[in-house]
Amino acid sequence: MKRIVSVSLGSKKRDNKVKHNFLGEEFVIERIGTDGDMNEMKNLIKELDGEVDAFGLGGMDLYLVSGEQRYMIKEAEEIVNCAKKTPILDGSGLKNTLERRVIKNINKEHDIFDEKTKVLMVCALDRFGMAESINDFGCEILYGDVIFSLGIPFPIKSLNTLGKLAKVVFPVVRNIPFEKLYPTGERQNETKKKFEKYYHWADVIAGDFHYINKYIPEDLKNKIIITNTITKEDKENLKEKGVKKVVTTTPVLNGRAFGTNVMEALLVAMKNKDSELTKEEYEDALDKLDFKPTVINFDKENDLVTERGS
């Protein structure tokens, strides 16, 4: 049996552990939060290094990505150096493969995107594959990278403009403490009433759930949410706000959609590799596992269009 552990800067309240069989092999998949404590995260990785088959890096990214250019976040570099034997994956490989597929597949079945669809992409640079796939449908997209990561009301309306901005700011931003860019620990459970007009403008709100939740308003009637790593409590909260449909890009296991970092660590462990896979290897593994998104229609109670892990 193989063991996958996602060590996260996020809240311990979101911890989970499941056993699952993938292609005839048993896996234990576990998420361990550290409530934003970077030192606890480092110590946990050192303690489990060599004892588990792959680490997922949760609650933070290893890289800031702009096109083919990648900038490693300084604090993430320190964490990666704590593991000498076990590979650490942050999910960026799957974001660039699995999430491109998800957007195309859900549109075939649910006809969500067209030229009239208004999309709030809370942080496109975190999920560039998803952003590019949505952009291919000709939607009107508001990129909220500056709004949701820096708290500055500066909406960007072009993927090209966002890419140019990233090349200028990423070499600087990579040195900023990660907690300044992304909600960690208990801050993941806090919501501020701010920037509501961007949510109300959109038909579809897509991207990292902690960014979506950061300023989420009370009323989200008839909105569609595309994200992952939501808990049962998150699902109930979205239902109470009037959300029409929720799509999670990773499969639900034991009632919980794990993050892309967990799923990427799973694929690396299945291949018995000691580092991230190539794009072709991810594509091949996804074909074999046949991962499907989970679509929850709140207007059709208990209508789970797809809910499986392999």
Side-chain angles (χ1 to χ4, degrees):
M1 180 180 292
K2 290 183 176 175
R3 184 183 178 194
I4 309 298
V5 174
S6 172
V7 182
S8 175
L9 268 185
S11 169
K12 294 180 180 180
K13 293 178 181 176
R14 304 176 74 87
D15 284 356
N16 205 343
K17 182 178 181 180
V18 300
K19 290 183 181 178
H20 201 82
N21 186 298
F22 293 95
L23 303 178
E25 188 171 15
E26 293 290 329
F27 285 82
V28 173
I29 303 172
E30 188 173 4
R31 187 268 193 195
I32 304 175
T34 58
D35 283 342
D37 189 330
M38 197 79 75
N39 287 326
E40 183 178 347
M41 194 175 193
K42 292 177 182 176
N43 290 335
L44 192 56
I45 289 173
K46 289 176 182 175
E47 177 187 331
L48 294 174
D49 186 29
E51 302 296 319
V52 301
D53 294 281
F55 287 115
L57 183 65
M60 71 183 305
D61 292 326
L62 282 177
Y63 301 101
L64 299 168
V65 181
S66 175
E68 300 299 320
Q69 193 74 39
R70 300 201 303 182
Y71 303 86
M72 182 172 273
I73 296 171
K74 188 175 181 181
E75 287 185 327
E77 190 172 11
E78 295 172 8
I79 290 172
V80 170
N81 288 336
C82 292
K84 306 299 182 187
K85 302 175 182 176
T86 302
I88 298 182
L89 294 308
D90 72 341
S92 56
L94 275 194
K95 289 175 184 174
N96 198 36
T97 50
L98 174 67
E99 295 197 334
R100 288 181 187 274
R101 293 181 174 216
V102 166
I103 296 302
K104 293 177 181 175
N105 289 339
I106 62 170
N107 208 53
K108 283 182 182 176
E109 297 185 14
H110 300 278
D111 195 24
I112 293 173
F113 303 108
D114 61 29
E115 292 82 358
K116 297 178 182 177
T117 310
K118 297 177 181 176
V119 181
L120 169 61
M121 189 80 209
V122 289
C123 187
L125 293 174
D126 174 56
R127 301 187 117 80
F128 208 73
M130 179 186 289
E132 284 193 325
S133 289
I134 295 175
N135 188 59
D136 287 343
F137 290 104
C139 305
E140 184 178 356
I141 308 176
L142 189 159
Y143 301 101
D145 294 61
V146 179
I147 299 169
F148 288 86
S149 60
L150 301 178
I152 299 171
F154 184 71
I156 297 170
K157 297 184 177 180
S158 161
L159 206 55
N160 187 45
T161 300
L162 183 63
K164 290 179 180 176
L165 179 66
K167 289 180 181 176
V168 174
V169 301
F170 273 3
V172 177
V173 169
R174 68 175 291 270
N175 297 303
I176 295 176
F178 193 73
E179 64 177 11
K180 302 291 185 186
L181 302 173
Y182 186 79
T184 59
E186 280 303 306
R187 288 172 56 219
Q188 293 183 347
N189 300 316
E190 298 173 357
T191 297
K192 295 180 181 178
K193 301 302 178 190
K194 201 173 179 182
F195 305 131
E196 291 189 10
K197 65 179 182 181
Y198 300 120
Y199 292 84
H200 295 320
W201 168 84
D203 304 307
V204 178
I205 301 162
D208 180 276
F209 184 71
H210 295 305
Y211 276 136
I212 292 174
N213 196 50
K214 191 174 183 178
Y215 304 120
I216 197 166
E218 290 301 319
D219 181 12
L220 287 175
K221 190 175 181 181
N222 291 325
K223 306 296 183 185
I224 296 174
I225 307 289
I226 301 176
T227 187
N228 68 6
T229 65
I230 62 169
T231 64
K232 292 180 180 177
E233 289 76 19
D234 297 327
K235 177 183 161 184
E236 288 303 313
N237 286 335
L238 293 173
K239 183 178 181 180
E240 289 177 5
K241 292 177 185 299
V243 168
K244 180 170 68 177
K245 190 190 302 286
V246 174
V247 179
T248 60
T249 58
T250 49
V252 170
L253 305 175
N254 195 27
R256 169 73 179 277
F258 283 92
T260 50
N261 72 87
V262 182
M263 295 294 114
E264 188 171 331
L266 169 74
L267 299 186
V268 169
M270 288 179 72
K271 295 275 189 181
N272 297 311
K273 294 292 184 72
D274 58 4
S275 64
E276 62 185 325
L277 307 181
T278 65
K279 183 179 179 181
E280 290 72 24
E281 287 174 321
Y282 284 124
E283 296 282 5
D284 177 65
L286 291 171
D287 285 340
K288 291 176 179 172
L289 286 165
D290 194 24
F291 276 165
K292 300 290 185 183
T294 299
V295 182
I296 305 168
N297 291 302
F298 287 129
D299 53 351
K300 298 177 183 177
E301 197 69 32
N302 299 322
D303 177 14
L304 299 186
V305 173
T306 305
E307 186 170 341
R308 58 177 175 163
S310 62

